[in-house]
């Protein structure tokens, strides 16, 4: 007798037997067998932003389904954290185990398929089991590996996809069935970062005199202090305060040590409008921090720069002409 039907027997005055059927609504959830199964991608698997500092060997990011406790090997740096994939299953048989398989995938710059690819493999999926409504939600992690063939990775968004297969017992057909859906993976490679001059180095207003046998020097420390060394008739006098340069790193990995390199070759600093006149020599560039510096939690680092300015040995004693003297120096900051 089907659930939800009640049969009752009544008699008329003539005691003629009759049957009356009463429909009674009973609050029962019927098993959703035969319903269309759906896979909703609540969040696609995104490895975040990586810096790739070399590709002469395989480097791997292990990204667990929890999205925490990432493991990095080789020449990868996590600049920004990503998020695991999240999927919602509906319309499946209730209280049923679902086996999930995903093909190894390649993701490329812009999703164009052009090398150099990042391989997505070793997917991290917990056991999937539907509830009494035939629904289940699960998270997805994976490992992301570089090719290791020496090819160069572009700074760009990376995208690609693979086929996901769900294998489960379907009571309505009394057999195991498989349904498939394409899933996407994304991330970004950003191996470079911004280095900008927030404050230019300026030695202030000077009086300077050169002579044949001696040289005068002015040392500008990164913290703005000044030290002048005059010899013989060679002189430098400071007439207004100098200022050290301030460089700003932006967009680097947070809490990461960066290498700070300077080119200490002597640089000629010439008069802007009289380049053949007496010049200064710029040398001994120094930074604070020196050698290495660590970014903050926002991936930023302030670098202060000073240098030493020296008069040249001139054929005869000469006062430097008034005007602006310019030169360009080089600072290299890298992972």
């Amino acid at each position: 007798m089907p659930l939800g039907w009640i049969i009752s027997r009544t008699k008329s005055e003539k005691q003629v037997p009759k049957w009356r059927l009463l429909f009674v609504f009973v609050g029962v959830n019927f098993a959703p067998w035969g319903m269309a199964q759906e896979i909703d991608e609540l969040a696609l698997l995104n490895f975040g932003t990586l810096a790739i500092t070399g590709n002469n060997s395989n480097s791997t990011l292990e990204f667990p389904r929890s999205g925490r406790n990432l493991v990095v090997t080789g020449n990868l740096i996590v600049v920004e954290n990503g998020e695991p994939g999240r999927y919602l299953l509906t319309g499946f048989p209730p209280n049923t185990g679902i086996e999930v398989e995903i093909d190894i995938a390649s993701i490329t710059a812009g999703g164009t398929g052009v090398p150099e690819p990042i391989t997505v493999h070793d997917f991290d999926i917990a056991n999937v089991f539907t509830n009494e409504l035939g629904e289940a939600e699960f998270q997805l992690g994976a490992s992301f590996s570089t090719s290791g063939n020496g090819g160069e990775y572009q700074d760009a968004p990376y995208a690609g996809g693979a086929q996901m297969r769900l294998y489960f017992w379907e009571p309505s057909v009394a057999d195991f069935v498989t349904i498939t859906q394409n899933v996407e993976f994304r991330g970004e490679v950003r191996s470079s970062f911004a280095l900008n001059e927030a404050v230019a180095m300026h030695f202030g207003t000077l009086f300077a005199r050169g002579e044949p046998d001696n040289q005068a020097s002015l040392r500008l420390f990164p913290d703005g202090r000044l030290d002048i060394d005059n010899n013989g008739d060679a002189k430098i006098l400071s007439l207004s305060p100098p200022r050290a340069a301030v460089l700003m790193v932006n967009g680097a990995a947070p809490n990461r040590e960066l290498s700070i390199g300077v080119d200490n070759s002597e640089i000629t600093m010439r008069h802007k409008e009289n380049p053949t006149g007496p010049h200064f020599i710029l040398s001994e560039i120094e930074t604070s921090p020196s050698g290495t510096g660590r970014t903050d939690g926002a991936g930023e680092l302030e670098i202060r720069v000073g240098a030493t300015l020296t008069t040249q040995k001139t054929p005869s004693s000469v006062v430097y002409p008034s005007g602006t003297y310019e030169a360009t120096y080089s600072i290299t900051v890298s992972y």
Side-chain angles (χ1 to χ4, degrees):
M1 183 182 300
L3 181 64
W5 293 58
I6 296 178
I7 301 177
S8 66
R9 182 178 179 183
T10 63
K11 292 184 179 180
S12 68
E13 293 180 355
K14 295 181 179 181
Q15 300 298 311
V16 177
K18 295 182 179 179
W19 298 95
R20 182 173 60 190
L21 302 183
L22 302 178
F23 290 92
V24 178
F25 176 77
V26 181
V28 176
N29 292 316
F30 288 88
W33 301 342
M35 292 176 59
Q37 289 88 19
E38 294 186 0
I39 307 171
D40 293 326
E41 191 173 50
L42 304 179
L44 54 84
L45 176 56
N46 189 321
F47 65 69
T49 302
L50 296 177
I52 301 177
T53 59
N55 190 32
N56 290 324
S57 60
N58 291 113
S59 301
T60 299
L61 167 68
E62 296 179 22
F63 193 98
R65 63 179 183 269
S66 65
R68 301 186 298 272
N69 301 320
L70 280 60
V71 178
V72 178
T73 58
N75 299 312
L76 297 181
I77 297 171
V78 177
V79 179
E80 295 177 4
N81 289 333
E83 65 173 323
R86 289 194 302 118
Y87 301 89
L88 175 64
L89 309 182
T90 56
F92 286 75
N95 305 313
T96 299
I98 311 291
E99 183 177 339
V100 183
E101 295 180 348
I102 304 176
D103 293 332
I104 293 175
S106 291
I107 57 177
T108 55
T112 60
V114 177
E116 208 58 39
I118 294 174
T119 303
V120 189
H121 58 97
D122 291 335
F123 295 95
D124 182 20
I125 310 169
N127 294 330
V128 180
F129 202 84
T130 61
N131 60 19
E132 66 276 6
L133 300 178
E135 300 176 349
E137 185 174 330
F138 66 93
Q139 296 197 160
L140 174 65
S143 292
F144 300 83
S145 297
T146 61
S147 63
N149 64 8
E152 184 176 351
Y153 283 89
Q154 300 178 33
D155 279 10
Y158 275 63
Q163 187 183 82
M164 174 188 288
R165 292 179 297 280
L166 304 183
Y167 183 65
F168 59 95
W169 176 261
E170 175 56 80
S172 64
V173 297
D175 200 358
F176 285 96
V177 298
T178 301
I179 65 172
T180 62
Q181 178 166 310
N182 291 328
V183 292
E184 290 186 67
F185 314 116
R186 291 184 185 174
E188 182 180 355
V189 173
R190 190 171 73 218
S191 303
S192 60
F193 50 80
L195 177 64
N196 297 306
E197 187 179 54
V199 177
M201 187 186 302
H202 198 293
F203 288 92
T205 302
L206 305 175
F207 168 84
R209 182 168 59 217
E211 60 115 324
D213 299 321
N214 296 294
Q215 292 173 285
S217 64
L218 179 154
R219 181 183 179 185
L220 174 60
F221 290 86
D223 62 6
R225 290 179 296 119
L226 198 62
D227 185 22
I228 296 176
D229 183 18
N230 290 320
N231 294 288
D233 287 335
K235 294 188 182 298
I236 294 178
L237 300 177
S238 178
L239 305 179
S240 70
R243 64 171 181 260
V246 178
L247 309 183
M248 289 298 303
V249 171
N250 300 99
N255 306 308
R256 186 76 189 188
E257 191 171 90
L258 303 179
S259 174
I260 304 171
V262 299
D263 181 359
N264 270 322
S265 303
E266 291 187 349
I267 302 168
T268 301
M269 191 168 174
R270 297 188 181 278
H271 194 289
K272 185 176 180 180
E273 298 174 353
N274 183 20
T276 60
H279 61 263
F280 292 101
I281 300 165
L282 187 69
S283 63
E284 299 179 19
I285 296 170
E286 51 189 318
T287 66
S288 178
S290 176
T292 60
R294 182 170 291 274
T295 60
D296 61 17
E300 299 180 349
L301 173 65
E302 180 182 277
I303 303 171
R304 294 183 173 270
V305 187
T308 297
L309 193 69
T310 306
T311 60
Q312 72 171 116
K313 290 184 177 180
T314 54
S316 60
S317 181
V318 60
V319 173
Y320 278 66
S322 61
T324 301
Y325 292 74
E326 294 180 333
T328 302
Y329 63 96
S330 177
I331 299 285
T332 302
V333 181
S334 60
Y335 286 117

